[in-house]
Amino acid sequence: AKTGEEQAEGRLNREAVSKPQPSPPGESRSTKDGRDVVVEVVVDEDGKVILACAKTGPRELWDVSEQATYGWRFKPTLLNGVPVRVAGKITFKFELDGGKN
């Protein structure tokens, strides 16, 4: 199952045509060591994210990650030439900038 999830995530990423990135809120402590937030998504037949739900990572980063995910757009996924809904995962990596402004 793990391999399938990784493949779905990779395929979604390759099909993305717009990928806005989230900004951590204020001085989030959870970004000190760099953290990942995994968001499960459902993409409609037109390539628009219609459902985004963070599942792992620091909870204070879930909202910004979900909000950014709704801005993602994908090439429509075709099955036998017909656009279909797809589900997958998007991983956001949060890291500190090392104190640089």
Side-chain angles (χ1 to χ4, degrees):
K2 197 170 196 177
T3 303
E5 291 169 3
E6 291 169 358
Q7 289 173 351
E9 182 177 13
R11 184 167 70 204
L12 264 184
N13 210 7
R14 285 191 305 275
E15 297 298 320
V17 294
S18 176
K19 303 191 298 188
Q21 299 300 303
S23 297
E27 296 182 20
S28 175
R29 289 185 186 173
S30 296
T31 60
K32 283 185 177 177
D33 301 320
R35 302 290 172 112
D36 296 349
V37 175
V38 177
V39 180
E40 292 183 357
V41 299
V42 176
V43 179
D44 73 7
E45 297 84 353
D46 294 321
K48 181 179 176 184
V49 174
I50 58 172
L51 180 64
C53 184
K55 293 294 184 178
T56 65
R59 288 190 182 266
E60 68 264 25
L61 299 176
W62 285 19
D63 285 345
V64 294
S65 298
E66 290 171 352
Q67 289 170 14
T69 302
Y70 281 109
W72 282 45
R73 295 294 179 264
F74 299 86
K75 295 178 187 173
T77 298
L78 303 177
L79 180 63
N80 297 323
V82 178
V84 294
R85 285 186 181 188
V86 293
K89 296 179 182 180
I90 297 172
T91 302
F92 292 105
K93 297 182 180 297
F94 290 88
E95 298 175 3
L96 282 182
D97 63 4
K100 298 176 188 171
N101 289 329

Coordinates of all heavy atoms in Angstrom, one line a residue:
A1 N 0.8 -1.2 0.0 CA 0.0 0.0 0.0 C 0.9 1.2 0.0 O 0.5 2.2 -0.6 CB -0.9 0.0 1.2
K2 N 2.0 1.2 0.7 CA 2.8 2.4 0.8 C 3.4 2.8 -0.6 O 3.4 3.9 -0.9 CB 4.0 2.1 1.8 CG 4.7 3.4 2.2 CD 5.6 3.1 3.3 CE 6.0 4.3 4.0 NZ 6.9 4.1 5.2
T3 N 3.8 1.8 -1.4 CA 4.3 2.1 -2.7 C 3.2 2.8 -3.6 O 3.5 3.7 -4.3 CB 4.8 0.8 -3.4 OG1 5.8 0.2 -2.5 CG2 5.4 1.1 -4.7
G4 N 2.0 2.3 -3.5 CA 0.9 2.9 -4.3 C 0.7 4.3 -3.9 O 0.4 5.1 -4.7
E5 N 0.7 4.6 -2.6 CA 0.5 6.0 -2.2 C 1.6 6.9 -2.7 O 1.4 8.0 -3.2 CB 0.5 6.0 -0.6 CG -0.7 5.4 0.0 CD -0.5 5.2 1.5 OE1 0.5 5.7 2.1 OE2 -1.4 4.6 2.1
E6 N 2.9 6.4 -2.7 CA 4.0 7.2 -3.2 C 3.8 7.4 -4.7 O 4.0 8.5 -5.2 CB 5.3 6.5 -2.9 CG 5.6 6.5 -1.5 CD 6.8 5.6 -1.2 OE1 7.3 4.9 -2.1 OE2 7.2 5.5 0.0
Q7 N 3.3 6.4 -5.5 CA 3.1 6.6 -6.9 C 2.0 7.6 -7.2 O 2.1 8.4 -8.0 CB 2.8 5.2 -7.5 CG 4.0 4.3 -7.6 CD 3.6 2.9 -8.1 OE1 2.4 2.6 -8.2 NE2 4.6 2.1 -8.3
A8 N 0.9 7.5 -6.4 CA -0.2 8.4 -6.6 C 0.3 9.9 -6.3 O 0.0 10.8 -7.1 CB -1.4 8.1 -5.7
E9 N 1.1 10.0 -5.3 CA 1.6 11.4 -4.9 C 2.5 11.9 -6.1 O 2.4 13.0 -6.5 CB 2.3 11.3 -3.6 CG 2.8 12.7 -3.2 CD 3.5 12.6 -1.8 OE1 3.8 11.5 -1.3 OE2 3.8 13.7 -1.3
G10 N 3.3 11.0 -6.6 CA 4.2 11.4 -7.6 C 3.5 11.8 -8.9 O 3.8 12.8 -9.6
R11 N 2.5 11.0 -9.3 CA 1.7 11.3 -10.5 C 1.0 12.6 -10.3 O 0.9 13.4 -11.2 CB 0.8 10.2 -10.8 CG 0.0 10.4 -12.1 CD -0.7 9.2 -12.6 NE -1.8 8.9 -11.8 CZ -2.4 7.8 -11.6 NH1 -1.9 6.7 -12.3 NH2 -3.4 7.6 -10.8
L12 N 0.3 12.9 -9.2 CA -0.4 14.1 -9.0 C 0.6 15.3 -9.1 O 0.3 16.3 -9.7 CB -1.0 14.2 -7.6 CG -2.4 13.8 -7.4 CD1 -2.9 13.9 -6.0 CD2 -3.3 14.5 -8.4
N13 N 1.8 15.2 -8.5 CA 2.8 16.2 -8.6 C 3.2 16.5 -10.0 O 3.3 17.7 -10.4 CB 4.0 15.9 -7.7 CG 4.6 17.1 -7.1 OD1 4.1 18.2 -7.2 ND2 5.8 16.9 -6.5
R14 N 3.4 15.5 -10.8 CA 3.7 15.7 -12.2 C 2.6 16.4 -13.0 O 2.9 17.1 -14.0 CB 4.1 14.4 -12.9 CG 5.5 13.9 -12.4 CD 5.9 12.7 -13.3 NE 4.9 11.6 -13.4 CZ 4.8 10.6 -12.5 NH1 5.6 10.6 -11.4 NH2 3.9 9.7 -12.6
E15 N 1.4 16.2 -12.6 CA 0.2 16.7 -13.4 C -0.2 18.1 -12.9 O -1.1 18.7 -13.4 CB -1.0 15.8 -13.3 CG -0.7 14.4 -13.9 CD -0.4 14.5 -15.4 OE1 -1.1 15.3 -16.1 OE2 0.5 13.7 -15.9
A16 N 0.5 18.6 -11.8 CA 0.2 19.9 -11.3 C 0.6 21.0 -12.3 O 1.7 21.0 -12.8 CB 0.8 20.1 -10.0
V17 N -0.3 22.0 -12.5 CA 0.0 23.1 -13.4 C 0.1 24.4 -12.6 O 0.7 25.4 -13.1 CB -1.0 23.3 -14.5 CG1 -1.0 22.1 -15.5 CG2 -2.4 23.5 -14.0
S18 N -0.4 24.4 -11.4 CA -0.2 25.5 -10.4 C -0.1 24.9 -9.0 O -0.9 24.1 -8.6 CB -1.5 26.4 -10.5 OG -1.4 27.4 -9.6
K19 N 1.0 25.4 -8.3 CA 1.3 24.8 -7.0 C 1.6 25.9 -6.0 O 2.8 26.0 -5.6 CB 2.5 23.8 -7.1 CG 2.2 22.7 -8.1 CD 3.3 21.6 -8.0 CE 4.7 22.0 -8.3 NZ 5.6 20.9 -8.3
P20 N 0.7 26.7 -5.6 CA 1.0 27.7 -4.5 C 1.5 27.0 -3.3 O 1.0 26.0 -2.9 CB -0.4 28.4 -4.3 CG -1.3 27.9 -5.2 CD -0.7 26.7 -5.9
Q21 N 2.5 27.6 -2.6 CA 3.0 27.1 -1.4 C 2.6 27.8 -0.2 O 2.4 29.1 -0.2 CB 4.6 27.1 -1.5 CG 5.2 26.4 -2.7 CD 4.8 24.9 -2.6 OE1 5.1 24.2 -1.6 NE2 4.2 24.4 -3.6
P22 N 2.4 27.1 0.9 CA 1.9 27.8 2.2 C 3.1 28.5 2.8 O 4.2 28.2 2.7 CB 1.4 26.6 3.0 CG 2.2 25.5 2.6 CD 2.5 25.7 1.1
S23 N 2.7 29.5 3.6 CA 3.7 30.2 4.5 C 3.4 29.9 5.9 O 2.2 29.9 6.3 CB 3.6 31.7 4.3 OG 3.9 32.0 3.0
P24 N 4.4 29.5 6.7 CA 4.1 29.2 8.1 C 3.6 30.4 8.9 O 4.1 31.5 8.6 CB 5.4 28.7 8.7 CG 6.4 29.1 7.7 CD 5.8 29.3 6.4
P25 N 2.6 30.2 9.7 CA 2.0 31.4 10.5 C 3.0 31.9 11.5 O 3.6 31.1 12.3 CB 0.8 30.8 11.1 CG 1.1 29.3 11.2 CD 1.9 29.0 10.1
G26 N 3.3 33.2 11.5 CA 4.2 33.8 12.5 C 5.5 33.1 12.7 O 6.2 32.7 11.8
E27 N 5.8 32.9 14.0 CA 7.0 32.2 14.4 C 6.6 30.8 14.9 O 6.7 30.5 16.1 CB 7.7 32.9 15.5 CG 8.2 34.3 15.0 CD 9.0 35.0 16.0 OE1 9.5 34.4 17.0 OE2 9.1 36.3 15.9
S28 N 6.2 29.9 14.0 CA 5.8 28.6 14.3 C 7.0 27.8 14.9 O 8.0 27.6 14.2 CB 5.2 27.9 13.1 OG 4.9 26.5 13.4
R29 N 6.9 27.3 16.1 CA 8.0 26.5 16.7 C 8.2 25.2 16.0 O 9.3 24.7 15.9 CB 7.6 26.2 18.1 CG 7.6 27.3 19.1 CD 7.4 26.8 20.5 NE 7.3 27.9 21.4 CZ 6.9 27.8 22.7 NH1 6.6 26.6 23.1 NH2 6.9 28.8 23.4
S30 N 7.2 24.7 15.4 CA 7.3 23.4 14.7 C 8.2 23.4 13.5 O 8.6 22.3 13.0 CB 5.9 22.9 14.3 OG 5.1 22.7 15.4
T31 N 8.6 24.5 13.0 CA 9.5 24.6 11.8 C 10.9 24.5 12.2 O 11.8 24.6 11.4 CB 9.2 25.8 10.9 OG1 9.4 27.0 11.7 CG2 7.8 25.7 10.4
K32 N 11.2 24.5 13.5 CA 12.6 24.6 13.9 C 13.5 23.5 13.3 O 14.6 23.8 12.8 CB 12.8 24.4 15.4 CG 12.4 25.7 16.2 CD 12.6 25.6 17.6 CE 12.3 26.9 18.3 NZ 12.5 26.8 19.8
D33 N 13.0 22.3 13.2 CA 13.8 21.2 12.6 C 13.3 20.9 11.2 O 13.8 20.0 10.6 CB 13.7 19.9 13.5 CG 14.2 20.2 14.9 OD1 15.2 20.9 15.0 OD2 13.6 19.7 15.8
G34 N 12.4 21.6 10.7 CA 11.8 21.3 9.4 C 10.8 20.2 9.6 O 11.1 19.2 10.2
R35 N 9.6 20.4 9.1 CA 8.5 19.4 9.3 C 7.7 19.3 8.0 O 7.6 20.2 7.3 CB 7.6 19.8 10.4 CG 8.2 20.0 11.8 CD 8.7 18.7 12.4 NE 9.5 19.0 13.6 CZ 9.1 18.6 14.8 NH1 8.0 18.0 15.0 NH2 9.9 18.9 15.8
D36 N 7.2 18.1 7.8 CA 6.3 17.8 6.7 C 4.9 17.8 7.1 O 4.6 17.3 8.2 CB 6.7 16.5 6.1 CG 8.1 16.4 5.5 OD1 8.7 17.5 5.4 OD2 8.5 15.3 5.1
V37 N 4.0 18.3 6.3 CA 2.6 18.2 6.5 C 2.0 17.5 5.2 O 2.3 17.9 4.1 CB 1.9 19.6 6.6 CG1 0.4 19.5 6.7 CG2 2.4 20.3 7.8
V38 N 1.3 16.4 5.5 CA 0.7 15.6 4.4 C -0.7 15.9 4.3 O -1.5 15.8 5.3 CB 1.0 14.1 4.6 CG1 0.3 13.3 3.5 CG2 2.5 13.8 4.6
V39 N -1.2 16.4 3.1 CA -2.6 16.7 2.9 C -3.2 15.7 1.9 O -2.6 15.5 0.8 CB -2.7 18.2 2.4 CG1 -4.2 18.5 2.1 CG2 -2.0 19.1 3.3
E40 N -4.2 15.1 2.3 CA -5.0 14.2 1.4 C -5.9 15.1 0.6 O -6.6 15.9 1.1 CB -5.7 13.1 2.1 CG -4.8 12.1 2.8 CD -5.5 11.0 3.5 OE1 -6.8 11.0 3.5 OE2 -4.8 10.1 4.0
V41 N -6.0 14.8 -0.8 CA -6.8 15.6 -1.6 C -7.7 14.8 -2.5 O -7.4 13.6 -2.8 CB -5.9 16.5 -2.5 CG1 -5.0 17.5 -1.7 CG2 -5.0 15.7 -3.5
V42 N -8.7 15.4 -3.0 CA -9.6 14.9 -4.1 C -9.6 16.0 -5.1 O -9.8 17.1 -4.8 CB -11.0 14.6 -3.6 CG1 -11.9 14.1 -4.7 CG2 -11.0 13.5 -2.5
V43 N -9.3 15.6 -6.4 CA -9.2 16.5 -7.5 C -10.4 16.1 -8.4 O -10.6 14.9 -8.8 CB -7.9 16.3 -8.2 CG1 -7.8 17.3 -9.4 CG2 -6.7 16.6 -7.3
D44 N -11.1 17.1 -8.9 CA -12.3 16.9 -9.7 C -11.9 16.7 -11.2 O -10.7 16.7 -11.5 CB -13.4 17.9 -9.6 CG -13.0 19.3 -10.2 OD1 -12.0 19.4 -10.9 OD2 -13.8 20.2 -10.0
E45 N -12.9 16.4 -12.0 CA -12.7 16.1 -13.4 C -12.0 17.3 -14.2 O -11.4 17.1 -15.2 CB -14.0 15.8 -14.1 CG -14.7 14.5 -13.5 CD -15.5 14.7 -12.3 OE1 -15.5 15.9 -11.7 OE2 -16.2 13.8 -11.9
D46 N -12.1 18.5 -13.7 CA -11.5 19.7 -14.3 C -10.1 20.0 -13.8 O -9.4 20.9 -14.3 CB -12.4 20.9 -14.1 CG -13.7 20.8 -14.8 OD1 -13.7 20.2 -15.9 OD2 -14.7 21.2 -14.2
G47 N -9.6 19.2 -12.8 CA -8.3 19.4 -12.2 C -8.3 20.3 -11.0 O -7.2 20.8 -10.6
K48 N -9.4 20.6 -10.5 CA -9.5 21.5 -9.3 C -9.6 20.7 -8.0 O -10.3 19.7 -8.0 CB -10.8 22.4 -9.4 CG -11.0 23.4 -8.3 CD -12.2 24.2 -8.6 CE -12.5 25.1 -7.4 NZ -13.7 25.9 -7.5
V49 N -8.9 21.1 -7.0 CA -9.0 20.5 -5.7 C -10.3 20.8 -5.1 O -10.6 22.0 -4.9 CB -7.8 20.9 -4.8 CG1 -8.0 20.3 -3.4 CG2 -6.5 20.5 -5.3
I50 N -11.1 19.7 -4.7 CA -12.4 19.9 -4.1 C -12.4 19.5 -2.7 O -13.4 19.8 -2.0 CB -13.5 19.2 -5.0 CG1 -13.2 17.7 -5.1 CG2 -13.6 19.9 -6.3 CD1 -14.4 17.0 -5.7
L51 N -11.4 18.8 -2.2 CA -11.3 18.4 -0.8 C -9.9 18.3 -0.5 O -9.0 17.7 -1.2 CB -12.0 17.0 -0.6 CG -12.0 16.5 0.8 CD1 -12.8 17.4 1.7 CD2 -12.5 15.1 0.8
A52 N -9.5 18.9 0.7 CA -8.1 18.9 1.2 C -8.2 18.7 2.7 O -8.9 19.5 3.4 CB -7.4 20.2 0.9
C53 N -7.5 17.7 3.2 CA -7.6 17.4 4.6 C -6.2 17.0 5.1 O -5.7 15.9 4.7 CB -8.6 16.3 4.9 SG -8.8 15.9 6.6
A54 N -5.5 17.8 5.9 CA -4.2 17.5 6.5 C -4.4 16.3 7.4 O -5.3 16.2 8.2 CB -3.7 18.7 7.2
K55 N -3.4 15.4 7.3 CA -3.4 14.2 8.1 C -2.3 14.0 9.0 O -2.4 13.4 10.1 CB -3.5 13.0 7.2 CG -4.8 12.9 6.4 CD -5.9 12.6 7.3 CE -7.2 12.4 6.5 NZ -8.4 12.2 7.4
T56 N -1.1 14.5 8.7 CA 0.1 14.4 9.5 C 0.9 15.7 9.5 O 0.7 16.5 8.6 CB 1.0 13.3 9.1 OG1 1.5 13.6 7.8 CG2 0.3 11.9 9.0
G57 N 1.7 15.8 10.5 CA 2.5 17.0 10.7 C 2.0 17.9 11.8 O 1.0 17.6 12.4
P58 N 2.7 19.0 12.1 CA 2.3 19.9 13.2 C 1.0 20.5 12.9 O 0.7 21.1 11.9 CB 3.4 21.0 13.1 CG 4.6 20.4 12.4 CD 4.0 19.4 11.4
R59 N 0.1 20.4 13.9 CA -1.3 20.8 13.7 C -1.4 22.3 13.4 O -2.3 22.8 12.7 CB -2.2 20.5 14.9 CG -2.4 19.0 15.0 CD -3.5 18.7 16.0 NE -3.7 17.3 16.1 CZ -4.7 16.6 15.5 NH1 -5.5 17.3 14.7 NH2 -4.8 15.3 15.6
E60 N -0.5 23.1 13.9 CA -0.6 24.6 13.6 C -0.3 24.9 12.2 O -0.5 26.1 11.7 CB 0.3 25.4 14.6 CG 1.8 25.2 14.4 CD 2.4 24.2 15.3 OE1 1.7 23.3 15.8 OE2 3.6 24.3 15.6
L61 N 0.2 23.9 11.4 CA 0.5 24.2 10.0 C -0.6 23.5 9.1 O -0.5 23.7 7.9 CB 1.9 23.6 9.6 CG 3.1 24.2 10.4 CD1 4.4 23.5 10.0 CD2 3.2 25.7 10.1
W62 N -1.5 22.9 9.7 CA -2.6 22.2 8.9 C -3.4 23.2 8.1 O -3.6 23.0 6.9 CB -3.5 21.4 9.7 CG -2.8 20.1 10.2 CD1 -1.5 19.8 10.2 CD2 -3.5 18.9 10.7 NE1 -1.3 18.5 10.7 CE2 -2.5 18.0 11.0 CE3 -4.8 18.6 11.0 CZ2 -2.8 16.7 11.6 CZ3 -5.2 17.4 11.5 CH2 -4.2 16.4 11.8
D63 N -3.9 24.3 8.7 CA -4.8 25.2 8.0 C -4.1 25.9 6.8 O -4.7 25.9 5.7 CB -5.3 26.3 9.0 CG -6.4 25.8 9.9 OD1 -6.9 24.7 9.7 OD2 -6.6 26.5 10.9
V64 N -2.9 26.3 7.0 CA -2.2 27.0 5.9 C -1.9 26.0 4.8 O -1.9 26.4 3.6 CB -0.9 27.8 6.3 CG1 -1.2 28.9 7.2 CG2 0.1 26.8 6.9
S65 N -1.6 24.8 5.1 CA -1.3 23.7 4.1 C -2.6 23.4 3.3 O -2.6 23.3 2.1 CB -0.8 22.5 4.8 OG 0.4 22.8 5.4
E66 N -3.7 23.3 4.0 CA -5.0 23.0 3.4 C -5.4 24.1 2.5 O -5.8 23.9 1.3 CB -6.1 22.7 4.4 CG -5.9 21.4 5.1 CD -6.9 21.2 6.3 OE1 -7.6 22.1 6.6 OE2 -6.9 20.1 6.8
Q67 N -5.2 25.4 3.0 CA -5.6 26.5 2.2 C -4.8 26.6 0.9 O -5.3 26.9 -0.2 CB -5.4 27.8 3.0 CG -6.5 28.0 4.1 CD -6.1 29.1 5.0 OE1 -5.3 29.9 4.8 NE2 -6.8 29.1 6.2
A68 N -3.5 26.4 1.0 CA -2.6 26.4 -0.2 C -3.0 25.3 -1.2 O -3.0 25.5 -2.4 CB -1.1 26.2 0.2
T69 N -3.4 24.1 -0.7 CA -3.8 23.0 -1.5 C -5.0 23.4 -2.4 O -5.0 23.0 -3.6 CB -4.1 21.8 -0.7 OG1 -2.9 21.5 0.1 CG2 -4.4 20.6 -1.5
Y70 N -5.9 24.1 -1.9 CA -7.1 24.5 -2.7 C -6.7 25.4 -3.9 O -7.5 25.5 -4.8 CB -8.1 25.2 -1.8 CG -9.0 24.2 -1.0 CD1 -8.8 24.1 0.4 CD2 -9.9 23.4 -1.6 CE1 -9.6 23.2 1.1 CE2 -10.6 22.5 -0.9 CZ -10.5 22.4 0.4 OH -11.2 21.5 1.2
G71 N -5.5 26.0 -3.8 CA -5.0 26.8 -5.0 C -4.4 26.0 -6.0 O -4.1 26.5 -7.1
W72 N -4.1 24.7 -5.8 CA -3.4 23.9 -6.7 C -4.4 23.5 -7.9 O -5.6 23.4 -7.7 CB -2.9 22.6 -6.1 CG -1.6 22.7 -5.3 CD1 -1.3 23.7 -4.4 CD2 -0.5 21.8 -5.3 NE1 -0.1 23.4 -3.9 CE2 0.4 22.3 -4.4 CE3 -0.3 20.6 -6.0 CZ2 1.6 21.7 -4.2 CZ3 1.0 20.0 -5.8 CH2 1.9 20.5 -4.9
R73 N -3.8 23.4 -9.1 CA -4.6 23.0 -10.3 C -3.8 21.9 -11.0 O -2.6 22.0 -11.0 CB -4.8 24.2 -11.2 CG -5.7 25.3 -10.6 CD -7.1 24.8 -10.4 NE -7.9 25.8 -9.8 CZ -8.2 26.0 -8.5 NH1 -7.6 25.2 -7.7 NH2 -9.0 26.9 -8.1
F74 N -4.5 21.0 -11.6 CA -3.9 19.8 -12.2 C -4.5 19.7 -13.6 O -5.6 20.1 -13.9 CB -4.3 18.6 -11.4 CG -3.7 18.6 -10.0 CD1 -4.5 19.2 -9.0 CD2 -2.5 18.1 -9.7 CE1 -4.0 19.2 -7.7 CE2 -2.0 18.1 -8.4 CZ -2.7 18.7 -7.4
K75 N -3.7 19.0 -14.5 CA -4.2 18.6 -15.7 C -5.3 17.5 -15.4 O -5.1 16.7 -14.5 CB -3.1 17.9 -16.6 CG -2.0 18.8 -17.0 CD -1.0 18.1 -17.8 CE 0.2 18.9 -18.1 NZ 1.3 18.1 -18.7
P76 N -6.4 17.6 -16.1 CA -7.4 16.6 -15.9 C -6.9 15.1 -16.1 O -6.1 14.9 -17.0 CB -8.5 16.9 -16.9 CG -8.4 18.3 -17.2 CD -6.9 18.6 -17.1
T77 N -7.3 14.2 -15.2 CA -6.9 12.8 -15.3 C -7.9 12.1 -16.2 O -9.1 12.2 -15.9 CB -6.8 12.2 -13.9 OG1 -5.8 12.9 -13.1 CG2 -6.4 10.7 -14.0
L78 N -7.4 11.4 -17.2 CA -8.3 10.7 -18.1 C -8.3 9.2 -17.9 O -7.2 8.6 -17.7 CB -7.9 11.0 -19.5 CG -7.9 12.5 -19.9 CD1 -7.4 12.7 -21.4 CD2 -9.3 13.2 -19.7
L79 N -9.4 8.6 -17.9 CA -9.5 7.1 -17.9 C -10.3 6.8 -19.1 O -11.5 7.1 -19.3 CB -10.2 6.7 -16.6 CG -10.4 5.2 -16.4 CD1 -9.1 4.5 -16.4 CD2 -11.2 4.9 -15.2
N80 N -9.7 6.1 -20.0 CA -10.3 5.7 -21.3 C -10.8 7.0 -22.0 O -11.9 7.0 -22.6 CB -11.5 4.7 -21.1 CG -10.9 3.4 -20.6 OD1 -9.8 2.9 -20.9 ND2 -11.7 2.8 -19.7
G81 N -10.1 8.0 -21.9 CA -10.4 9.3 -22.6 C -11.4 10.1 -21.9 O -11.8 11.2 -22.4
V82 N -11.9 9.7 -20.7 CA -12.9 10.5 -20.0 C -12.3 11.0 -18.7 O -11.7 10.3 -18.0 CB -14.1 9.5 -19.6 CG1 -15.2 10.3 -18.8 CG2 -14.7 8.9 -20.9
P83 N -12.5 12.3 -18.5 CA -12.0 12.9 -17.2 C -12.6 12.3 -16.0 O -13.8 12.0 -16.0 CB -12.4 14.4 -17.3 CG -12.7 14.7 -18.7 CD -13.2 13.4 -19.3
V84 N -11.8 12.0 -15.0 CA -12.3 11.4 -13.7 C -11.7 12.1 -12.5 O -10.7 12.8 -12.6 CB -11.9 9.9 -13.7 CG1 -12.6 9.1 -14.7 CG2 -10.4 9.7 -13.7
R85 N -12.4 11.9 -11.4 CA -11.9 12.4 -10.1 C -10.8 11.5 -9.7 O -10.8 10.3 -9.9 CB -13.0 12.4 -9.0 CG -14.0 13.4 -9.1 CD -14.9 13.4 -8.0 NE -16.0 14.4 -8.1 CZ -16.8 14.7 -7.2 NH1 -16.8 14.1 -6.0 NH2 -17.7 15.7 -7.4
V86 N -9.8 12.1 -9.0 CA -8.7 11.3 -8.4 C -8.4 11.8 -7.0 O -8.7 12.9 -6.6 CB -7.4 11.4 -9.3 CG1 -7.6 10.8 -10.6 CG2 -7.0 12.8 -9.4
A87 N -7.8 10.9 -6.2 CA -7.4 11.2 -4.9 C -5.9 10.9 -4.8 O -5.4 10.1 -5.5 CB -8.2 10.3 -3.9
G88 N -5.3 11.7 -3.9 CA -3.9 11.5 -3.7 C -3.4 12.3 -2.5 O -4.2 12.7 -1.6
K89 N -2.1 12.5 -2.4 CA -1.5 13.2 -1.2 C -0.5 14.2 -1.8 O 0.2 14.0 -2.7 CB -0.8 12.2 -0.3 CG -1.7 11.2 0.3 CD -0.9 10.3 1.2 CE -1.9 9.3 1.8 NZ -1.2 8.3 2.7
I90 N -0.5 15.4 -1.0 CA 0.5 16.4 -1.3 C 1.3 16.6 0.0 O 0.7 16.8 1.1 CB -0.2 17.7 -1.8 CG1 -0.9 17.5 -3.1 CG2 0.9 18.8 -1.9 CD1 -1.8 18.7 -3.5
T91 N 2.6 16.6 -0.1 CA 3.4 16.9 1.1 C 4.1 18.2 1.0 O 4.7 18.5 0.0 CB 4.5 15.8 1.2 OG1 3.9 14.5 1.3 CG2 5.4 16.0 2.4
F92 N 3.9 19.0 2.0 CA 4.5 20.3 2.1 C 5.7 20.2 3.1 O 5.5 19.7 4.2 CB 3.5 21.4 2.6 CG 2.5 21.7 1.6 CD1 1.2 21.3 1.8 CD2 2.8 22.5 0.5 CE1 0.2 21.6 0.8 CE2 1.8 22.8 -0.5 CZ 0.5 22.3 -0.3
K93 N 6.8 20.7 2.8 CA 8.0 20.7 3.7 C 8.2 22.1 4.2 O 8.4 23.0 3.4 CB 9.2 20.2 2.9 CG 9.1 18.8 2.4 CD 10.3 18.3 1.7 CE 10.1 16.9 1.2 NZ 10.0 15.9 2.2
F94 N 8.2 22.2 5.5 CA 8.4 23.5 6.1 C 9.8 23.5 6.7 O 10.2 22.6 7.4 CB 7.4 23.8 7.3 CG 6.0 24.0 6.8 CD1 5.1 23.0 6.5 CD2 5.6 25.3 6.5 CE1 3.9 23.2 6.0 CE2 4.3 25.5 6.1 CZ 3.4 24.5 5.8
E95 N 10.6 24.6 6.4 CA 11.9 24.7 7.0 C 12.2 26.2 7.4 O 11.6 27.1 6.7 CB 13.0 24.3 5.9 CG 12.8 22.9 5.5 CD 13.8 22.5 4.4 OE1 14.6 23.4 4.0 OE2 13.7 21.4 3.9
L96 N 13.0 26.3 8.4 CA 13.4 27.7 8.7 C 14.4 28.2 7.7 O 15.1 27.5 7.1 CB 14.0 27.7 10.1 CG 13.1 27.7 11.3 CD1 13.9 27.7 12.6 CD2 12.1 28.8 11.3
D97 N 14.4 29.5 7.6 CA 15.4 30.1 6.6 C 16.8 30.4 7.3 O 17.6 31.0 6.7 CB 14.8 31.4 6.0 CG 14.6 32.5 7.1 OD1 15.0 32.3 8.3 OD2 14.1 33.6 6.7
G98 N 17.0 29.9 8.5 CA 18.3 30.0 9.1 C 18.5 31.4 9.6 O 19.6 31.8 9.8
G99 N 17.4 32.2 9.8 CA 17.5 33.5 10.4 C 17.8 34.6 9.3 O 17.9 35.7 9.6
K100 N 17.8 34.2 8.0 CA 18.0 35.2 7.0 C 16.7 35.9 6.7 O 15.6 35.3 6.7 CB 18.5 34.5 5.7 CG 19.8 33.8 5.9 CD 20.2 33.0 4.6 CE 21.4 32.1 4.8 NZ 21.6 31.2 3.8
N101 N 16.8 37.1 6.3 CA 15.6 37.9 6.0 C 15.5 38.2 4.5 O 16.3 38.5 3.9 CB 15.5 39.2 6.8 CG 15.3 39.0 8.2 OD1 14.6 38.0 8.6 ND2 15.8 39.8 9.1

